[in-house]
Amino acid sequence: MRSDGVRRGLERAPHRSLLRACGLTDEELEGDGPFIAVVNTYSEIVPGHVHLDRVAEAVKAGIRAAGGVPFEVETIALCDGIAMNTPGMRYSLPSRELVADSIETVVEAHRFDGFVAVVSCDKMVPGALMAAARLDLPAAVVTGGPMEPGRANGERVDLIDVFEAVGAVKEGEMTEEELEELEHRACPGPGSCAGMFTANTMACMTEVLGMSEFNCAATPATEAEKLRIAKLTGARLVEAVKEGVTARDVLTREAFLDAIRVDMALGGSTNTVLHLLAIAREAGVDLSLDDFDELSRDTPHLCAMRPGGPYTMRDLYEAGGVPAVMRELSEDLHLDRPDYAGRPVRERVERAEVRDRDVIRPKDDPVEEEGGIRILYGNLAPKGAVIKTAALSEDMYEHEGPAVVFDSEEEATEAILGGEVDPGDVVVIRYEGPAGGPGMREMLTPTSALCGMGLDDSVALVTDGRFSGGTRGPCIGHVSPEAYRGGPIAVVEEGDTIRIDVRERRLEVDLEKGELEARLREWEPPEDEVTGYLRRYRELVRGADEGAVLR
């Protein structure tokens, strides 16, 4: 075992002395139990993480019961909702790389034999998976579970209702007193926000990939089942170490294709495109936007989840969870591949059953014939752009309108809330890409404002930034190349006609090729001063079409 390098032999007496200072016994040092890192993102500022101390304790209990030696270590956690529409959101996507790097650093430095990541929320889950793929050790993930929906005025509500209510107050459709009541009711306790937003989508992807335990993703944070899952994961990872099952045995191309297909059926967050590409790169797996596009064409959208439908993660849990969705898609999945414990994925899927056909529709009666995410191309996005059709009204599959151009999210939000955007417009927000932001901020505030003001069926939004998993409406993100690196979106001018055709997967600006090229020749990148980590991030980050990974 790798841990023998810090606990075996005469020359390791100094190392053992330090381990004894941590409270290790002779049995733990001299036995054959593997050293397992329990990487915890517990934090008192993030609702998805405030309960992870208990989950980590359960993982450690499982490791000890199986004869392993657990060591809890920590890494960072960010709340996208708290950072939203502030300069802090620039740190959200870059935090993914910090999580991956910090896990790699602590696991390698201390020669752990494997690790369990106890994580939640948007960037911590993919960061942990990136680390697992990079290290190629026995590894597993316990996601913290979704938040319960709140209740206000007899209806179920969540965080997205609060974001959208701001626009409704601006329009006079809601009073400030009603907003305050909603603010108090929407987020009733721990867990990742209640719908199929990015955190929960990535938890689902983790389960499909085989890196978490049966039904981990949909089990709410408040359920005792979450602790039982955590114990099982700890115990089974000890067995994985003994059997020699490593992360890259699990993270195969077939696993990623299955994850994409289930993502399409769930109508998950567009951020999964960035994250699955990034994890695949760490695993040495060839994956591209073309794979997302191909699978979206022949995978039906089966689950009308929030924000594009009425159902929350609690509903999915009670309907059978991710395994039930996989059971419905089983003819199209690769079920003989292994999970983190070396078991065939087929075992978990064949035990599943769909318990609510309103939540998980049959393949022959889907919500939509095609998947919930589509990739668009055209002269405005030569390297691709992404739209979540699961949250798009039928009326906006085709749209043509004049560009209303903004060079930052703040400018756009102020204009929208100030009534400066009219029905039929196409709002363009640029210089918010991975390098331009830097950090590729989510645009939940302006998109929610459009929805709250009743413009989501008449105004499109196009950006080289990205969207929250809670975004709904005709919102196209990840436009590549981004403006900061000379993509065509940099030279769109006020009033230019933009055409969107989701069925044909096209995103065009109505300019002759010569005119577009002439504008690009005269374009110069904006000058702005960026310091600290974001400066390094800007210098190293690749485009959204490559997962916004670092060089």
Side-chain angles (χ1 to χ4, degrees):
M1 291 186 294
R2 280 164 41 109
S3 59
D4 289 349
V6 297
R7 61 171 167 165
R8 301 278 191 243
L10 180 68
E11 70 279 7
R12 299 307 182 200
H15 305 66
R16 290 193 297 274
S17 182
L18 291 166
L19 289 167
R20 291 182 192 281
C22 296
L24 264 68
T25 64
D26 289 346
E27 182 180 7
E28 288 171 318
L29 284 168
E30 297 168 6
D32 60 0
F35 281 10
I36 307 295
V38 180
V39 185
N40 191 358
T41 57
Y42 168 76
S43 170
E44 292 183 347
I45 188 64
V46 188
H49 300 244
V50 294
H51 64 302
L52 294 187
D53 51 346
R54 294 187 65 210
V55 179
E57 287 297 329
V59 172
K60 291 187 287 184
I63 292 170
R64 292 190 187 101
V69 184
F71 297 81
E72 186 172 349
V73 298
E74 294 182 347
T75 186
I76 63 168
L78 270 68
C79 179
D80 282 14
I82 294 173
M84 196 70 67
N85 198 231
T86 76
M89 178 49 80
R90 292 192 173 94
Y91 287 88
S92 171
L93 184 58
S95 74
R96 183 188 71 181
E97 318 306 315
L98 292 175
V99 170
D101 290 351
S102 63
I103 294 175
E104 174 195 1
T105 300
V106 72
V107 170
E108 287 285 40
H110 297 105
R111 311 312 296 157
F112 285 112
D113 300 304
F115 75 90
V116 178
V118 180
V119 293
S120 186
C121 293
D122 301 33
K123 311 308 172 302
M124 286 67 251
V125 176
L129 290 168
M130 289 168 68
R134 186 185 302 173
L135 290 164
D136 194 25
L137 293 171
V141 176
V142 180
T143 50
M147 184 186 292
E148 298 283 3
R151 294 198 74 84
N153 299 318
E155 297 183 357
R156 293 190 307 178
V157 293
D158 57 39
L159 178 66
I160 304 307
D161 291 292
V162 187
F163 270 100
E164 294 184 0
V166 174
V169 171
K170 291 283 187 179
E171 281 293 286
E173 299 295 324
M174 177 182 284
T175 67
E176 291 190 31
E177 291 74 22
E178 289 172 324
L179 174 59
E180 184 178 2
E181 175 72 7
L182 183 59
E183 173 189 328
H184 281 78
R185 301 289 184 180
C187 299
S192 47
C193 299
M196 189 58 72
F197 314 141
T198 303
N200 291 322
T201 306
M202 283 310 302
C204 294
M205 297 300 94
T206 304
E207 189 172 329
V208 179
L209 287 168
M211 290 297 290
S212 65
E213 193 54 51
F214 181 86
N215 217 23
C216 184
T219 301
T222 53
E223 291 282 341
E225 185 178 352
K226 179 60 68 177
L227 301 180
R228 296 195 293 270
I229 287 170
K231 288 180 183 178
L232 285 172
T233 304
R236 286 171 177 163
L237 190 75
V238 173
E239 296 303 314
V241 172
K242 294 176 180 178
E243 295 294 328
V245 181
T246 67
R248 291 195 185 185
D249 295 330
V250 181
L251 296 172
T252 61
R253 176 167 167 79
E254 290 74 21
F256 284 101
L257 295 179
D258 287 355
I260 293 171
R261 197 177 287 280
V262 174
D263 190 17
M264 297 300 168
L266 290 169
S269 165
T270 53
N271 284 308
T272 55
V273 178
L274 291 173
H275 299 324
L276 290 176
L277 289 173
I279 300 161
R281 178 174 180 266
E282 296 286 2
V285 170
D286 181 27
L287 201 70
S288 71
L289 287 180
D290 290 340
D291 292 308
F292 288 85
D293 187 52
E294 179 181 342
L295 291 172
S296 74
R297 293 174 186 270
D298 67 354
T299 305
H301 174 207
L302 302 180
C303 304
M305 304 290 294
R306 288 278 293 158
Y311 301 115
T312 68
M313 291 299 292
R314 162 61 74 174
D315 297 313
L316 182 63
Y317 171 67
E318 294 177 353
V322 172
V325 179
M326 295 177 71
R327 180 69 180 263
E328 189 63 28
L329 297 171
S330 58
E331 293 179 358
D332 302 313
L333 302 179
H334 307 85
L335 298 182
D336 293 320
R337 55 187 174 84
D339 73 356
Y340 77 94
R343 302 163 297 181
V345 172
R346 183 179 300 281
E347 287 185 11
R348 65 173 70 184
V349 173
E350 289 182 344
R351 295 204 306 268
E353 61 175 317
V354 178
R355 296 194 288 265
D356 189 330
R357 278 297 183 189
D358 290 329
V359 178
I360 304 174
R361 301 274 286 271
K363 283 179 65 177
D364 59 4
D365 184 26
V367 178
E368 181 78 25
E369 292 294 333
E370 295 191 23
I373 294 174
R374 297 187 195 181
I375 309 300
L376 311 184
Y377 292 94
N379 68 352
L380 193 54
K383 291 187 176 181
V386 181
I387 186 170
K388 180 174 179 173
T389 56
L392 178 65
S393 77
E394 194 73 18
D395 295 338
M396 291 299 289
Y397 270 67
E398 294 182 35
H399 183 75
E400 179 177 317
V404 186
V405 183
F406 305 97
D407 287 345
S408 73
E409 179 189 5
E410 287 85 357
E411 291 178 16
T413 301
E414 183 179 354
I416 292 167
L417 292 176
E420 298 175 28
V421 174
D422 298 319
D425 287 346
V426 178
V427 174
V428 175
I429 307 176
R430 61 191 177 196
Y431 299 112
E432 291 286 4
M440 202 179 184
R441 290 191 291 177
E442 289 182 346
M443 303 289 146
L444 181 57
T445 299
T447 61
S448 296
L450 288 172
C451 291
M453 297 172 76
L455 294 172
D456 53 308
D457 286 337
S458 60
V459 172
L461 193 152
V462 177
T463 181
D464 54 6
R466 60 193 178 93
F467 297 114
S468 162
T471 291
R472 62 186 177 95
C475 301
I476 299 169
H478 306 202
V479 171
S480 299
E482 62 174 289
Y484 187 81
R485 291 194 168 146
I489 191 173
V491 295
V492 173
E493 296 179 358
E494 197 85 6
D496 285 346
T497 298
I498 293 178
R499 296 194 183 96
I500 300 164
D501 190 330
V502 175
R503 292 185 182 83
E504 295 298 320
R505 291 167 163 81
R506 300 300 297 172
L507 177 61
E508 306 273 356
V509 56
D510 187 17
L511 293 174
E512 295 292 334
K513 182 178 179 182
E515 170 64 16
L516 191 57
E517 291 174 347
R519 289 188 189 181
L520 287 169
R521 283 194 298 270
E522 296 178 3
W523 171 84
E524 292 183 1
E527 294 183 8
D528 63 336
E529 186 66 29
V530 178
T531 60
Y533 174 50
L534 292 182
R535 179 177 179 179
R536 299 197 301 276
Y537 184 83
R538 168 177 280 178
E539 291 171 352
L540 295 173
V541 71
R542 294 180 182 270
D545 58 302
E546 298 182 68
V549 296
L550 301 186
R551 291 183 177 86

